[in-house]
Amino acid sequence: MTSYTAPVDDMQFLFHEVFEVSGSDIPGYEELEPDFTKAVLEEAGKLATGVLHPLNAVGDAQGCRLENGVVRTPEGFRDAYRQMCDGGWIGLDCDPDYGGQGMPHMLNSAVGEIFVSANMAFNMYQGLSHGAYNAIHTHGTAQQKQTYLPKMVEGSWTGTMNLTEPHCGTDLGLIRTKAEPQDDGSYRISGQKIWISAGEHDMADNIVHLVLAKIPGGPEGVKGISLFIVPKFMVNEDGSLGDRNAVTCGGLESKMGIHGNATCVMNYDGATGYLIGEMHKGMRAMFTMMNEARLGVGVQGYAQGAVAYQNALGFARDRLQGRDVTGPANPNGPADPIIVHPDVRRNLMDQKSFVEGARAFALWGAQLIDRSQRNGDAEAEALVSLLTPVLKGFLTDKGFETTVLAQQTLGGSGFTREWGLEQFVRDARITMIYEGTNGIQSLDLVGRKLGLNGGRTVMGFFDLVKTFIKENESDLRLKSDFLDPLKAASKDLQGAATYFMQNGMKNPHEALSGSYDFMHLFGHVCLGLMWSRIARASLAALDADTSNPDFHEAKLATGRYYMARQLPATRMHRARIESGAEPVMALDAANF
Protein backbone atom coordinates (compact mmCIF):
# COMPACT_ATOMS: atom_id res chain seq x y z
CA MET A 1 0.00 0.00 0.00
CA THR A 2 2.96 2.35 0.56
CA SER A 3 5.01 3.97 -2.18
CA TYR A 4 8.50 5.47 -2.45
CA THR A 5 10.19 8.00 -4.73
CA ALA A 6 13.88 8.81 -4.34
CA PRO A 7 14.46 12.48 -3.37
CA VAL A 8 16.85 13.07 -6.28
CA ASP A 9 16.17 16.81 -6.61
CA ASP A 10 16.82 17.41 -2.92
CA MET A 11 20.04 15.40 -3.00
CA GLN A 12 21.21 17.22 -6.12
CA PHE A 13 20.57 20.53 -4.39
CA LEU A 14 22.62 19.47 -1.38
CA PHE A 15 25.48 18.11 -3.47
CA HIS A 16 25.83 21.01 -5.85
CA GLU A 17 24.40 24.14 -4.21
CA VAL A 18 24.86 23.58 -0.48
CA PHE A 19 28.10 21.55 -0.39
CA GLU A 20 29.37 22.48 -3.89
CA VAL A 21 31.07 19.11 -4.25
CA SER A 22 32.51 19.37 -7.75
CA GLY A 23 34.56 22.41 -6.69
CA SER A 24 35.91 20.70 -3.59
CA ASP A 25 39.60 19.94 -3.03
CA ILE A 26 38.77 16.38 -1.94
CA PRO A 27 40.27 13.90 -4.46
CA GLY A 28 37.55 12.18 -6.48
CA TYR A 29 35.01 14.95 -5.96
CA GLU A 30 35.88 16.41 -9.36
CA GLU A 31 33.96 13.46 -10.82
CA LEU A 32 30.79 14.46 -8.97
CA GLU A 33 29.43 16.69 -11.72
CA PRO A 34 25.66 17.32 -11.66
CA ASP A 35 24.90 15.10 -14.65
CA PHE A 36 26.89 12.24 -13.17
CA THR A 37 25.40 12.34 -9.67
CA LYS A 38 21.91 12.74 -11.10
CA ALA A 39 22.37 9.66 -13.28
CA VAL A 40 23.61 7.58 -10.33
CA LEU A 41 20.85 8.73 -8.00
CA GLU A 42 18.14 8.22 -10.60
CA GLU A 43 19.32 4.68 -11.34
CA ALA A 44 19.37 3.92 -7.61
CA GLY A 45 15.87 5.37 -7.42
CA LYS A 46 14.62 3.10 -10.21
CA LEU A 47 15.92 0.01 -8.43
CA ALA A 48 14.50 1.23 -5.13
CA THR A 49 11.05 2.08 -6.47
CA GLY A 50 10.63 -0.75 -8.94
CA VAL A 51 12.30 -3.66 -7.14
CA LEU A 52 13.15 -3.07 -3.50
CA HIS A 53 10.14 -1.20 -2.15
CA PRO A 54 7.55 -3.67 -3.46
CA LEU A 55 9.42 -6.33 -1.44
CA ASN A 56 9.30 -4.30 1.79
CA ALA A 57 5.86 -5.50 2.82
CA VAL A 58 6.62 -8.99 1.49
CA GLY A 59 9.66 -9.29 3.73
CA ASP A 60 7.70 -7.98 6.69
CA ALA A 61 4.89 -10.48 6.20
CA GLN A 62 6.97 -13.55 5.35
CA GLY A 63 10.07 -13.02 7.44
CA CYS A 64 12.97 -15.48 7.30
CA ARG A 65 12.80 -19.24 7.91
CA LEU A 66 15.43 -21.57 9.35
CA GLU A 67 15.26 -24.94 7.56
CA ASN A 68 17.86 -27.64 8.26
CA GLY A 69 20.48 -25.08 9.17
CA VAL A 70 19.78 -22.84 6.18
CA VAL A 71 17.99 -19.52 6.45
CA ARG A 72 15.51 -18.89 3.65
CA THR A 73 15.00 -15.20 2.91
CA PRO A 74 11.61 -13.82 1.84
CA GLU A 75 10.27 -14.31 -1.66
CA GLY A 76 11.98 -12.06 -4.19
CA PHE A 77 14.96 -11.14 -2.01
CA ARG A 78 17.45 -13.37 -3.85
CA ASP A 79 16.54 -11.96 -7.26
CA ALA A 80 16.66 -8.41 -5.92
CA TYR A 81 20.07 -9.04 -4.39
CA ARG A 82 21.37 -10.35 -7.69
CA GLN A 83 20.18 -7.17 -9.40
CA MET A 84 21.95 -5.16 -6.71
CA CYS A 85 25.17 -7.05 -7.39
CA ASP A 86 24.86 -6.90 -11.17
CA GLY A 87 24.40 -3.14 -10.99
CA GLY A 88 27.67 -2.71 -9.09
CA TRP A 89 25.92 -1.10 -6.14
CA ILE A 90 27.67 -3.29 -3.54
CA GLY A 91 31.09 -1.85 -4.39
CA LEU A 92 30.11 1.72 -5.22
CA ASP A 93 32.68 3.32 -2.89
CA CYS A 94 35.01 0.33 -2.54
CA ASP A 95 38.67 0.16 -3.58
CA PRO A 96 39.11 -0.33 -7.37
CA ASP A 97 42.06 -2.64 -6.60
CA TYR A 98 39.48 -5.16 -5.40
CA GLY A 99 36.81 -4.52 -8.01
CA GLY A 100 35.11 -1.49 -6.48
CA GLN A 101 34.16 1.73 -8.27
CA GLY A 102 36.05 4.03 -5.92
CA MET A 103 33.28 6.61 -5.62
CA PRO A 104 33.31 8.99 -2.62
CA HIS A 105 31.56 7.88 0.55
CA MET A 106 29.28 10.92 0.27
CA LEU A 107 27.68 9.54 -2.89
CA ASN A 108 27.45 6.09 -1.34
CA SER A 109 25.68 7.59 1.68
CA ALA A 110 23.06 9.23 -0.52
CA VAL A 111 22.48 5.99 -2.41
CA GLY A 112 22.28 4.21 0.93
CA GLU A 113 19.46 6.46 2.07
CA ILE A 114 17.50 5.60 -1.08
CA PHE A 115 17.89 1.85 -0.57
CA VAL A 116 17.13 2.03 3.16
CA SER A 117 13.97 4.05 2.59
CA ALA A 118 12.86 1.53 0.00
CA ASN A 119 13.55 -1.59 2.07
CA MET A 120 15.57 -1.32 5.26
CA ALA A 121 15.60 -5.04 6.12
CA PHE A 122 16.88 -5.97 2.65
CA ASN A 123 19.58 -3.30 2.61
CA MET A 124 21.03 -4.61 5.87
CA TYR A 125 22.48 -7.63 4.05
CA GLN A 126 24.83 -5.47 2.01
CA GLY A 127 25.26 -2.88 4.77
CA LEU A 128 26.88 -5.36 7.15
CA SER A 129 29.10 -6.60 4.33
CA HIS A 130 30.38 -3.09 3.74
CA GLY A 131 31.43 -2.77 7.36
CA ALA A 132 33.24 -6.12 7.28
CA TYR A 133 34.89 -5.11 4.00
CA ASN A 134 36.21 -1.93 5.60
CA ALA A 135 37.62 -3.76 8.62
CA ILE A 136 39.50 -6.24 6.41
CA HIS A 137 40.60 -3.47 4.04
CA THR A 138 42.00 -1.43 6.93
CA HIS A 139 43.47 -4.13 9.18
CA GLY A 140 43.86 -7.29 7.08
CA THR A 141 47.03 -8.69 5.58
CA ALA A 142 47.65 -8.50 1.83
CA GLN A 143 46.67 -12.15 1.53
CA GLN A 144 43.48 -11.66 3.54
CA LYS A 145 42.49 -8.71 1.40
CA GLN A 146 43.10 -10.60 -1.83
CA THR A 147 41.26 -13.67 -0.55
CA TYR A 148 38.10 -11.99 0.71
CA LEU A 149 37.63 -8.48 -0.63
CA PRO A 150 37.02 -9.08 -4.37
CA LYS A 151 34.23 -11.54 -3.60
CA MET A 152 32.71 -9.23 -0.99
CA VAL A 153 32.86 -6.26 -3.36
CA GLU A 154 31.07 -8.16 -6.12
CA GLY A 155 28.52 -9.40 -3.58
CA SER A 156 28.95 -13.14 -4.09
CA TRP A 157 30.21 -13.28 -0.49
CA THR A 158 28.72 -11.24 2.33
CA GLY A 159 30.05 -10.27 5.74
CA THR A 160 28.94 -9.91 9.34
CA MET A 161 30.14 -8.54 12.67
CA ASN A 162 29.88 -10.81 15.72
CA LEU A 163 30.13 -9.00 19.05
CA THR A 164 27.25 -9.69 21.41
CA GLU A 165 26.93 -12.81 23.56
CA PRO A 166 23.96 -13.96 25.68
CA HIS A 167 25.48 -12.58 28.88
CA CYS A 168 27.05 -9.37 27.55
CA GLY A 169 26.26 -6.62 25.09
CA THR A 170 27.93 -3.26 25.60
CA ASP A 171 30.44 -4.60 28.15
CA LEU A 172 32.47 -6.63 25.67
CA GLY A 173 35.19 -7.29 28.22
CA LEU A 174 32.90 -10.06 29.51
CA ILE A 175 32.88 -12.10 26.29
CA ARG A 176 33.62 -15.82 26.66
CA THR A 177 34.22 -16.87 23.05
CA LYS A 178 37.67 -18.47 22.88
CA ALA A 179 40.28 -18.58 20.15
CA GLU A 180 42.79 -21.37 20.65
CA PRO A 181 46.02 -21.13 18.59
CA GLN A 182 46.76 -23.95 16.14
CA ASP A 183 50.10 -25.11 14.74
CA ASP A 184 49.28 -23.83 11.25
CA GLY A 185 48.74 -20.27 12.48
CA SER A 186 44.95 -20.49 12.52
CA TYR A 187 42.70 -20.50 15.60
CA ARG A 188 39.86 -22.72 16.81
CA ILE A 189 36.92 -20.45 17.61
CA SER A 190 34.39 -21.69 20.18
CA GLY A 191 31.45 -19.79 21.64
CA GLN A 192 28.04 -18.35 20.90
CA LYS A 193 27.09 -14.96 19.48
CA ILE A 194 23.58 -13.51 19.38
CA TRP A 195 21.69 -10.86 17.41
CA ILE A 196 23.91 -11.33 14.37
CA SER A 197 22.33 -9.54 11.43
CA ALA A 198 22.56 -11.53 8.18
CA GLY A 199 24.44 -14.26 10.06
CA GLU A 200 22.98 -16.93 7.80
CA HIS A 201 21.01 -16.58 4.55
CA ASP A 202 20.61 -18.00 1.05
CA MET A 203 21.60 -15.01 -1.08
CA ALA A 204 25.40 -15.46 -1.25
CA ASP A 205 27.83 -18.35 -1.77
CA ASN A 206 29.81 -17.62 1.38
CA ILE A 207 29.53 -15.50 4.53
CA VAL A 208 32.63 -13.95 6.07
CA HIS A 209 32.11 -13.60 9.81
CA LEU A 210 34.25 -11.18 11.80
CA VAL A 211 34.25 -12.50 15.34
CA LEU A 212 35.51 -11.06 18.61
CA ALA A 213 37.14 -13.69 20.82
CA LYS A 214 39.79 -14.05 23.52
CA ILE A 215 43.05 -15.95 23.12
CA PRO A 216 43.77 -17.89 26.33
CA GLY A 217 46.40 -16.28 28.51
CA GLY A 218 45.73 -12.76 27.24
CA PRO A 219 44.96 -9.69 29.35
CA GLU A 220 41.65 -9.41 31.18
CA GLY A 221 38.74 -7.36 29.88
CA VAL A 222 38.71 -5.55 26.55
CA LYS A 223 42.51 -5.49 26.42
CA GLY A 224 42.45 -9.23 25.79
CA ILE A 225 40.03 -9.21 22.84
CA SER A 226 41.16 -10.14 19.34
CA LEU A 227 39.31 -10.15 16.00
CA PHE A 228 39.09 -13.14 13.67
CA ILE A 229 37.91 -13.89 10.16
CA VAL A 230 35.74 -17.01 10.29
CA PRO A 231 34.31 -17.96 6.87
CA LYS A 232 31.16 -20.06 6.59
CA PHE A 233 32.95 -22.15 3.95
CA MET A 234 36.70 -22.58 3.97
CA VAL A 235 38.53 -20.97 1.06
CA ASN A 236 41.01 -23.06 -0.93
CA GLU A 237 44.34 -21.70 -2.16
CA ASP A 238 42.91 -21.17 -5.65
CA GLY A 239 40.01 -19.12 -4.22
CA SER A 240 37.40 -21.83 -4.62
CA LEU A 241 35.19 -22.85 -1.73
CA GLY A 242 36.07 -25.89 0.34
CA ASP A 243 34.51 -27.62 3.30
CA ARG A 244 31.85 -26.15 5.56
CA ASN A 245 33.39 -24.54 8.63
CA ALA A 246 32.14 -25.40 12.12
CA VAL A 247 29.86 -22.36 12.37
CA THR A 248 26.08 -22.74 12.29
CA CYS A 249 22.93 -20.75 12.85
CA GLY A 250 21.29 -22.00 16.04
CA GLY A 251 18.11 -19.99 15.72
CA LEU A 252 16.38 -16.86 14.44
CA GLU A 253 15.15 -14.06 16.66
CA SER A 254 11.45 -13.20 16.60
CA LYS A 255 11.54 -9.43 16.35
CA MET A 256 9.34 -6.34 16.47
CA GLY A 257 10.48 -5.26 13.00
CA ILE A 258 13.04 -5.76 10.19
CA HIS A 259 11.47 -9.19 9.65
CA GLY A 260 13.07 -9.56 6.23
CA ASN A 261 16.55 -9.57 7.73
CA ALA A 262 17.87 -12.73 9.38
CA THR A 263 18.89 -11.94 12.98
CA CYS A 264 20.72 -15.06 14.06
CA VAL A 265 22.14 -16.96 17.00
CA MET A 266 25.54 -18.15 15.76
CA ASN A 267 27.30 -21.17 17.24
CA TYR A 268 31.05 -21.58 16.81
CA ASP A 269 32.08 -25.15 17.60
CA GLY A 270 35.82 -25.17 17.05
CA ALA A 271 35.50 -23.23 13.81
CA THR A 272 38.66 -22.29 11.95
CA GLY A 273 39.44 -18.59 12.22
CA TYR A 274 42.25 -16.28 11.21
CA LEU A 275 43.54 -13.37 13.26
CA ILE A 276 42.94 -9.98 11.68
CA GLY A 277 45.05 -7.11 12.91
CA GLU A 278 47.18 -7.43 16.03
CA MET A 279 46.67 -9.95 18.79
CA HIS A 280 44.65 -8.45 21.69
CA LYS A 281 43.88 -5.37 19.54
CA GLY A 282 40.54 -6.58 18.27
CA MET A 283 38.58 -3.64 19.57
CA ARG A 284 40.63 -1.28 17.42
CA ALA A 285 39.82 -3.30 14.31
CA MET A 286 36.18 -3.82 15.31
CA PHE A 287 35.63 -0.12 15.76
CA THR A 288 36.50 0.39 12.11
CA MET A 289 33.27 -1.50 11.46
CA MET A 290 31.41 -0.10 14.43
CA ASN A 291 31.98 3.57 13.61
CA GLU A 292 30.87 3.08 10.00
CA ALA A 293 27.90 1.07 11.22
CA ARG A 294 26.87 3.86 13.60
CA LEU A 295 26.92 6.42 10.80
CA GLY A 296 24.96 4.00 8.62
CA VAL A 297 22.39 3.50 11.36
CA GLY A 298 21.97 7.28 11.60
CA VAL A 299 21.08 7.21 7.90
CA GLN A 300 18.64 4.36 8.57
CA GLY A 301 16.92 6.44 11.23
CA TYR A 302 16.12 9.46 9.11
CA ALA A 303 15.61 7.36 5.95
CA GLN A 304 12.70 5.55 7.61
CA GLY A 305 11.37 8.95 8.62
CA ALA A 306 11.74 10.10 5.02
CA VAL A 307 9.67 7.32 3.46
CA ALA A 308 7.09 7.59 6.25
CA TYR A 309 6.78 11.34 5.59
CA GLN A 310 6.30 10.76 1.86
CA ASN A 311 3.36 8.47 2.55
CA ALA A 312 1.87 10.70 5.26
CA LEU A 313 2.01 13.66 2.87
CA GLY A 314 0.23 11.72 0.14
CA PHE A 315 -2.50 10.71 2.57
CA ALA A 316 -2.92 14.27 3.88
CA ARG A 317 -3.41 15.59 0.35
CA ASP A 318 -6.03 12.98 -0.52
CA ARG A 319 -7.95 12.39 2.71
CA LEU A 320 -11.14 14.52 2.92
CA GLN A 321 -12.22 15.38 6.47
CA GLY A 322 -13.79 18.56 7.81
CA ARG A 323 -13.57 22.09 6.51
CA ASP A 324 -10.86 24.73 6.66
CA VAL A 325 -11.88 27.10 9.48
CA THR A 326 -11.27 30.10 7.20
CA GLY A 327 -13.58 28.79 4.47
CA PRO A 328 -13.91 25.71 2.21
CA ALA A 329 -10.73 24.88 0.31
CA ASN A 330 -12.53 22.24 -1.73
CA PRO A 331 -15.99 23.77 -2.23
CA ASN A 332 -17.04 21.23 -4.86
CA GLY A 333 -16.29 18.28 -2.59
CA PRO A 334 -17.93 16.96 0.58
CA ALA A 335 -14.97 18.04 2.72
CA ASP A 336 -11.48 19.53 2.51
CA PRO A 337 -8.23 17.53 2.38
CA ILE A 338 -6.78 17.31 5.88
CA ILE A 339 -3.61 19.11 4.81
CA VAL A 340 -5.54 22.40 5.16
CA HIS A 341 -5.82 21.97 8.95
CA PRO A 342 -3.14 23.76 11.05
CA ASP A 343 -2.44 20.82 13.34
CA VAL A 344 -1.89 18.50 10.38
CA ARG A 345 0.40 21.14 8.88
CA ARG A 346 2.34 21.28 12.16
CA ASN A 347 2.72 17.51 12.12
CA LEU A 348 3.90 17.46 8.50
CA MET A 349 6.27 20.39 9.02
CA ASP A 350 7.85 18.62 11.99
CA GLN A 351 8.48 15.66 9.70
CA LYS A 352 9.66 17.63 6.68
CA SER A 353 11.98 19.98 8.58
CA PHE A 354 13.67 17.09 10.36
CA VAL A 355 14.08 14.83 7.32
CA GLU A 356 15.56 17.49 5.06
CA GLY A 357 17.85 18.86 7.77
CA ALA A 358 18.94 15.34 8.73
CA ARG A 359 19.76 14.50 5.11
CA ALA A 360 22.11 17.47 4.97
CA PHE A 361 23.69 16.55 8.32
CA ALA A 362 24.33 12.96 7.22
CA LEU A 363 25.85 14.05 3.90
CA TRP A 364 28.07 16.54 5.73
CA GLY A 365 29.25 13.71 7.98
CA ALA A 366 30.00 11.57 4.91
CA GLN A 367 31.90 14.48 3.36
CA LEU A 368 34.01 14.75 6.52
CA ILE A 369 34.83 11.04 6.23
CA ASP A 370 35.94 11.58 2.64
CA ARG A 371 38.06 14.55 3.66
CA SER A 372 39.70 12.61 6.48
CA GLN A 373 40.41 9.55 4.32
CA ARG A 374 41.20 11.11 0.94
CA ASN A 375 43.03 14.23 2.15
CA GLY A 376 44.54 12.73 5.31
CA ASP A 377 42.87 15.56 7.23
CA ALA A 378 43.28 14.87 10.97
CA GLU A 379 40.90 17.68 11.95
CA ALA A 380 38.13 16.26 9.76
CA GLU A 381 38.73 12.82 11.25
CA ALA A 382 38.47 14.22 14.78
CA LEU A 383 35.33 16.21 13.95
CA VAL A 384 33.49 13.22 12.48
CA SER A 385 34.54 11.18 15.51
CA LEU A 386 32.98 13.84 17.74
CA LEU A 387 29.82 13.93 15.62
CA THR A 388 29.38 10.15 15.23
CA PRO A 389 27.35 9.63 18.45
CA VAL A 390 25.23 12.66 17.52
CA LEU A 391 24.61 11.37 14.01
CA LYS A 392 23.68 7.95 15.32
CA GLY A 393 21.76 8.92 18.45
CA PHE A 394 19.95 12.10 17.43
CA LEU A 395 19.03 11.01 13.90
CA THR A 396 17.61 7.68 15.06
CA ASP A 397 15.68 9.14 18.00
CA LYS A 398 14.15 11.82 15.82
CA GLY A 399 13.80 9.47 12.86
CA PHE A 400 11.69 7.08 14.94
CA GLU A 401 9.69 10.04 16.24
CA THR A 402 9.10 11.09 12.64
CA THR A 403 7.69 7.68 11.69
CA VAL A 404 5.28 7.96 14.64
CA LEU A 405 4.24 11.45 13.51
CA ALA A 406 3.67 10.09 10.00
CA GLN A 407 1.58 7.26 11.41
CA GLN A 408 -0.41 9.83 13.40
CA THR A 409 -1.14 11.78 10.22
CA LEU A 410 -3.18 8.81 8.99
CA GLY A 411 -5.23 8.60 12.18
CA GLY A 412 -6.86 5.20 12.58
CA SER A 413 -5.61 4.09 9.16
CA GLY A 414 -2.04 4.48 10.41
CA PHE A 415 -2.67 1.87 13.08
CA THR A 416 -3.67 -0.78 10.53
CA ARG A 417 -1.29 -2.95 8.56
CA GLU A 418 -3.19 -2.27 5.35
CA TRP A 419 -1.70 1.22 5.04
CA GLY A 420 1.88 0.22 5.88
CA LEU A 421 2.90 3.09 8.15
CA GLU A 422 3.10 0.87 11.21
CA GLN A 423 5.89 -1.14 9.54
CA PHE A 424 8.03 1.98 9.27
CA VAL A 425 7.51 2.57 12.99
CA ARG A 426 8.46 -1.01 13.87
CA ASP A 427 11.47 -1.09 11.55
CA ALA A 428 12.81 2.28 12.72
CA ARG A 429 12.68 1.26 16.38
CA ILE A 430 15.77 -0.97 16.17
CA THR A 431 17.94 1.93 15.03
CA MET A 432 17.82 3.42 18.53
CA ILE A 433 19.09 0.13 19.98
CA TYR A 434 21.69 -1.62 17.85
CA GLU A 435 25.30 -0.61 17.18
CA GLY A 436 25.32 0.84 20.69
CA THR A 437 22.09 2.03 22.27
CA ASN A 438 21.46 5.74 22.13
CA GLY A 439 22.12 5.98 25.85
CA ILE A 440 25.59 4.58 25.17
CA GLN A 441 26.02 7.10 22.34
CA SER A 442 25.32 9.95 24.74
CA LEU A 443 27.78 8.57 27.30
CA ASP A 444 30.40 8.24 24.57
CA LEU A 445 29.77 11.83 23.50
CA VAL A 446 30.08 13.33 26.97
CA GLY A 447 32.46 10.86 28.57
CA ARG A 448 34.96 10.51 25.72
CA LYS A 449 34.36 12.77 22.74
CA LEU A 450 34.08 16.13 24.52
CA GLY A 451 37.62 15.61 25.82
CA LEU A 452 38.96 14.58 22.41
CA ASN A 453 42.30 16.27 21.74
CA GLY A 454 42.10 18.07 25.06
CA GLY A 455 38.75 19.61 24.10
CA ARG A 456 40.17 21.22 20.97
CA THR A 457 37.82 19.33 18.66
CA VAL A 458 34.61 20.51 20.29
CA MET A 459 36.05 24.03 20.51
CA GLY A 460 36.76 23.73 16.79
CA PHE A 461 33.10 22.93 16.21
CA PHE A 462 32.06 26.03 18.18
CA ASP A 463 34.49 28.10 16.10
CA LEU A 464 33.07 26.61 12.90
CA VAL A 465 29.58 27.77 13.86
CA LYS A 466 30.83 31.21 14.95
CA THR A 467 32.76 31.67 11.71
CA PHE A 468 29.73 30.74 9.60
CA ILE A 469 27.58 33.25 11.47
CA LYS A 470 30.17 36.01 11.19
CA GLU A 471 30.73 35.44 7.47
CA ASN A 472 27.01 35.65 6.66
CA GLU A 473 25.45 38.04 9.17
CA SER A 474 25.62 40.98 6.75
CA ASP A 475 22.73 39.34 4.85
CA LEU A 476 19.80 40.51 6.96
CA ARG A 477 17.52 37.90 5.39
CA LEU A 478 19.69 35.23 7.00
CA LYS A 479 20.45 37.04 10.21
CA SER A 480 17.06 37.29 11.88
CA ASP A 481 15.50 34.03 10.69
CA PHE A 482 18.54 31.75 10.81
CA LEU A 483 21.75 33.13 12.24
CA ASP A 484 20.37 34.70 15.41
CA PRO A 485 18.54 31.49 16.43
CA LEU A 486 21.65 29.48 15.56
CA LYS A 487 23.80 31.76 17.71
CA ALA A 488 21.44 31.36 20.68
CA ALA A 489 21.36 27.58 20.29
CA SER A 490 25.14 27.40 20.02
CA LYS A 491 25.45 29.39 23.25
CA ASP A 492 23.18 26.83 24.93
CA LEU A 493 25.50 24.07 23.73
CA GLN A 494 28.59 25.88 24.97
CA GLY A 495 26.91 26.64 28.28
CA ALA A 496 26.01 22.98 28.78
CA ALA A 497 29.58 21.90 27.94
CA THR A 498 30.90 24.46 30.45
CA TYR A 499 28.57 23.05 33.10
CA PHE A 500 30.05 19.59 32.54
CA MET A 501 33.58 20.95 32.77
CA GLN A 502 32.87 22.79 36.01
CA ASN A 503 30.94 20.02 37.74
CA GLY A 504 31.69 16.72 36.04
CA MET A 505 35.18 16.28 37.43
CA LYS A 506 33.97 16.64 41.00
CA ASN A 507 30.97 14.35 40.46
CA PRO A 508 30.76 12.36 37.20
CA HIS A 509 27.02 11.93 37.73
CA GLU A 510 26.63 15.65 37.02
CA ALA A 511 27.81 15.06 33.47
CA LEU A 512 26.38 11.62 32.80
CA SER A 513 22.91 12.53 34.08
CA GLY A 514 22.74 15.19 31.41
CA SER A 515 24.43 13.31 28.60
CA TYR A 516 21.26 12.34 26.73
CA ASP A 517 20.00 15.91 26.75
CA PHE A 518 23.41 17.07 25.57
CA MET A 519 23.31 14.68 22.60
CA HIS A 520 19.95 16.12 21.54
CA LEU A 521 21.08 19.68 22.19
CA PHE A 522 24.11 19.02 19.96
CA GLY A 523 21.91 17.47 17.29
CA HIS A 524 19.61 20.47 17.17
CA VAL A 525 22.58 22.82 16.78
CA CYS A 526 23.89 20.69 13.91
CA LEU A 527 20.53 20.79 12.14
CA GLY A 528 20.33 24.53 12.81
CA LEU A 529 23.70 24.88 11.09
CA MET A 530 22.53 22.75 8.19
CA TRP A 531 19.33 24.75 7.74
CA SER A 532 21.36 27.97 7.78
CA ARG A 533 23.61 26.62 5.05
CA ILE A 534 20.57 25.47 3.07
CA ALA A 535 18.97 28.90 3.43
CA ARG A 536 22.12 30.62 2.20
CA ALA A 537 22.15 28.41 -0.90
CA SER A 538 18.46 28.96 -1.62
CA LEU A 539 18.72 32.72 -1.24
CA ALA A 540 21.66 32.69 -3.67
CA ALA A 541 19.61 30.66 -6.15
CA LEU A 542 16.67 33.07 -5.90
CA ASP A 543 19.01 36.04 -6.33
CA ALA A 544 20.31 34.38 -9.51
CA ASP A 545 16.77 34.01 -10.91
CA THR A 546 16.64 30.23 -10.54
CA SER A 547 14.34 28.32 -12.88
CA ASN A 548 12.76 26.61 -9.87
CA PRO A 549 11.84 29.36 -7.38
CA ASP A 550 9.12 27.29 -5.70
CA PHE A 551 11.71 24.69 -4.60
CA HIS A 552 13.86 27.33 -2.93
CA GLU A 553 10.98 29.23 -1.37
CA ALA A 554 9.83 25.93 0.13
CA LYS A 555 13.33 25.37 1.51
CA LEU A 556 13.34 28.76 3.17
CA ALA A 557 9.88 28.26 4.67
CA THR A 558 10.82 24.83 5.99
CA GLY A 559 14.08 26.11 7.43
CA ARG A 560 12.33 29.01 9.15
CA TYR A 561 9.93 26.51 10.68
CA TYR A 562 12.78 24.46 12.12
CA MET A 563 14.58 27.49 13.50
CA ALA A 564 11.40 28.89 15.09
CA ARG A 565 9.66 25.71 16.27
CA GLN A 566 12.34 23.06 16.82
CA LEU A 567 15.65 24.77 17.57
CA PRO A 568 14.36 26.45 20.78
CA ALA A 569 14.42 22.95 22.33
CA THR A 570 18.07 23.69 23.10
CA ARG A 571 16.94 25.90 25.98
CA MET A 572 14.95 23.03 27.47
CA HIS A 573 17.83 20.59 27.14
CA ARG A 574 20.26 23.05 28.72
CA ALA A 575 17.87 23.65 31.65
CA ARG A 576 17.62 19.92 32.23
CA ILE A 577 21.40 19.54 32.16
CA GLU A 578 21.93 22.39 34.60
CA SER A 579 19.39 20.90 37.03
CA GLY A 580 22.24 18.55 37.86
CA ALA A 581 22.37 14.94 38.95
CA GLU A 582 20.20 15.17 42.05
CA PRO A 583 16.76 14.88 40.38
CA VAL A 584 18.04 11.84 38.48
CA MET A 585 19.88 10.08 41.32
CA ALA A 586 17.78 11.06 44.36
CA LEU A 587 15.62 7.95 44.51
CA ASP A 588 17.18 4.85 46.05
CA ALA A 589 17.22 1.86 43.72
CA ALA A 590 15.02 -0.09 46.12
CA ASN A 591 12.29 2.57 45.90
CA PHE A 592 11.70 2.50 42.16
Side-chain angles (χ1 to χ4, degrees), residues 300-373:
Q300 286 183 331
Y302 85 80
Q304 287 299 284
V307 65
Y309 164 68
Q310 281 192 17
N311 285 272
L313 177 61
F315 183 92
R317 285 172 168 162
D318 293 338
R319 177 69 166 172
L320 302 180
Q321 290 282 286
R323 288 294 189 187
D324 186 343
V325 294
T326 61
N330 179 34
N332 296 322
D336 292 335
I338 64 171
I339 199 170
V340 305
H341 303 308
D343 191 61
V344 174
R345 290 288 186 95
R346 171 203 57 80
N347 190 334
L348 292 170
M349 288 298 284
D350 280 349
Q351 297 171 53
K352 180 178 174 65
S353 64
F354 165 72
V355 166
E356 294 178 10
R359 179 175 294 128
F361 184 24
L363 289 179
W364 181 45
Q367 185 181 47
L368 289 172
I369 290 175
D370 283 331
R371 182 169 293 282
S372 69
Q373 294 179 347

Side-chain angles (χ1 to χ4, degrees), residues 2 29 57 120 129 151 163 239 295-296 321 338 369 383 445 453 464 467 470 490 521 526 534 549 562 585:
T2 59
Y29 273 44
M120 177 174 156
S129 292
K151 293 291 188 180
L163 290 77
L295 293 168
Q321 290 282 286
I338 64 171
I369 290 175
L383 182 55
L445 175 62
N453 297 320
L464 184 154
T467 299
K470 189 171 294 186
S490 182
L521 201 168
C526 288
I534 290 168
Y562 191 88
M585 304 302 295

Side-chain angles (χ1 to χ4, degrees), residues 153-177:
V153 168
E154 72 180 23
S156 58
W157 297 358
T158 61
T160 71
M161 50 195 297
N162 285 236
L163 290 77
T164 306
E165 299 183 6
H167 60 284
C168 70
T170 300
D171 191 353
L172 291 172
L174 299 176
I175 67 170
R176 296 172 184 161
T177 300

Side-chain angles (χ1 to χ4, degrees), residues 131-132 134-135 161-164 169-170 172 212 283-297 388 392 434-437 440-441:
N134 267 345
M161 50 195 297
N162 285 236
L163 290 77
T164 306
T170 300
L172 291 172
L212 287 183
M283 293 303 294
R284 180 186 304 169
M286 182 57 80
F287 268 101
T288 299
M289 281 203 302
M290 182 64 78
N291 285 333
E292 180 194 338
R294 287 175 174 170
L295 293 168
V297 172
T388 292
K392 195 279 185 184
Y434 61 13
E435 310 309 342
T437 66
I440 293 297
Q441 302 306 312

Side-chain angles (χ1 to χ4, degrees), residues 1-2 60 315 407-408 410-426:
M1 192 71 182
T2 59
D60 186 57
F315 183 92
Q407 183 186 38
Q408 187 73 15
L410 273 67
S413 298
F415 199 65
T416 65
R417 292 201 169 182
E418 176 187 358
W419 288 85
L421 270 292
E422 56 87 35
Q423 183 189 344
F424 300 138
V425 174
R426 289 185 289 105

